[in-house]
Amino acid sequence: MVLESEKFSDERGFFIESFNQRDFNKCVGEEVIFVQDNHSKSTRGVLRGLHYQLNYPQGKLVRCISGEVFDVVVDLRKNSSTFGQWSGTRLNSSEIQLWVPAGFAHGFYTLSEEAEICYKITDYYHPEDQHSLLWNDPSLDIQWGNSEEPILSAKDKLGKLFDECLKYENTI
């Protein structure tokens, strides 16, 4: 779900209310409690993801505060009508945010020279429950919009194919 905050601009600059718990809950139709804020910085060509959790799934409210990224989610919820489908959104230093409910794999590709992402999450980080879905799984055919090979972490290079995740892990 893409959310847009109202931006108030004048000759001095701008003001955005980037988060309001009451308004956010009303918008997504449920009470969501965030327990941790994360901030990452990446250089052009870095692809982070596609990350997901099985035992401690995390909802994420993602915002790009500088630069631009192509943000991708993949639905891993077995009982969902969009199970196995992906969606991509360009995020930049505007008032747009992306709500990623628990049960999705999430990742982003850095389009600008540098980009900074801030995101709120609904469960604490558990390193033993961090998994990676392979960014270029042919069965998902994600169109990242990049022509060169992305820069990946060692863990993300070893991501599993979607079918392997279904076969060997308890997907959400």
Side-chain angles (χ1 to χ4, degrees):
M1 176 183 292
V2 176
L3 308 171
E4 189 168 353
S5 300
E6 190 171 0
K7 185 176 188 178
F8 302 94
S9 299
D10 63 22
E11 66 280 352
R12 300 169 298 156
F14 69 85
F15 172 83
I16 296 173
E17 184 177 79
S18 62
F19 182 73
N20 178 302
Q21 185 74 59
R22 181 190 59 233
D23 293 347
F24 177 78
N25 289 347
K26 183 177 179 183
C27 186
V28 300
E30 65 178 302
E31 184 176 350
V32 176
I33 297 171
F34 294 104
V35 299
Q36 184 174 317
D37 283 1
N38 296 333
H39 185 148
S40 73
K41 182 177 181 178
S42 302
T43 57
R44 182 185 299 280
V46 168
L47 192 152
R48 296 184 186 266
L50 296 158
H51 301 147
Y52 65 97
Q53 306 76 28
L54 295 172
N55 299 309
Y56 304 97
Q58 298 172 336
K60 299 173 184 168
L61 181 60
V62 183
R63 182 170 174 240
C64 182
I65 62 167
S66 73
E68 185 173 23
V69 300
F70 184 64
D71 201 285
V72 171
V73 297
V74 178
D75 192 349
L76 300 179
R77 302 169 302 166
K78 282 188 175 177
N79 296 323
S80 170
S81 63
T82 58
F83 175 69
Q85 294 179 23
W86 69 273
S87 178
T89 305
R90 279 181 179 255
L91 296 177
N92 54 41
S93 53
S94 71
E95 52 277 8
I96 294 174
Q97 297 182 73
L98 181 67
W99 167 235
V100 182
F104 283 77
H106 173 257
F108 62 87
Y109 176 76
T110 307
L111 300 169
S112 53
E113 286 304 311
E114 291 182 334
E116 292 188 53
I117 302 294
C118 290
Y119 52 103
K120 301 174 124 9
I121 58 175
T122 60
D123 203 344
Y124 298 103
Y125 176 64
H126 297 271
E128 73 284 359
D129 194 36
Q130 184 73 357
H131 304 276
S132 288
L133 176 61
L134 192 61
W135 70 277
N136 63 349
D137 182 330
S139 72
L140 297 173
D141 193 30
I142 297 171
Q143 302 299 309
W144 291 95
N146 58 321
S147 56
E148 66 276 349
E149 194 72 15
I151 302 164
L152 301 166
S153 70
K155 181 182 72 175
D156 290 343
K157 287 179 184 177
L158 300 174
K160 293 185 179 182
L161 295 170
F162 184 73
D163 289 343
E164 290 178 298
C165 294
L166 297 177
K167 193 177 204 179
Y168 301 110
E169 296 179 5
N170 299 320
T171 51
I172 301 161

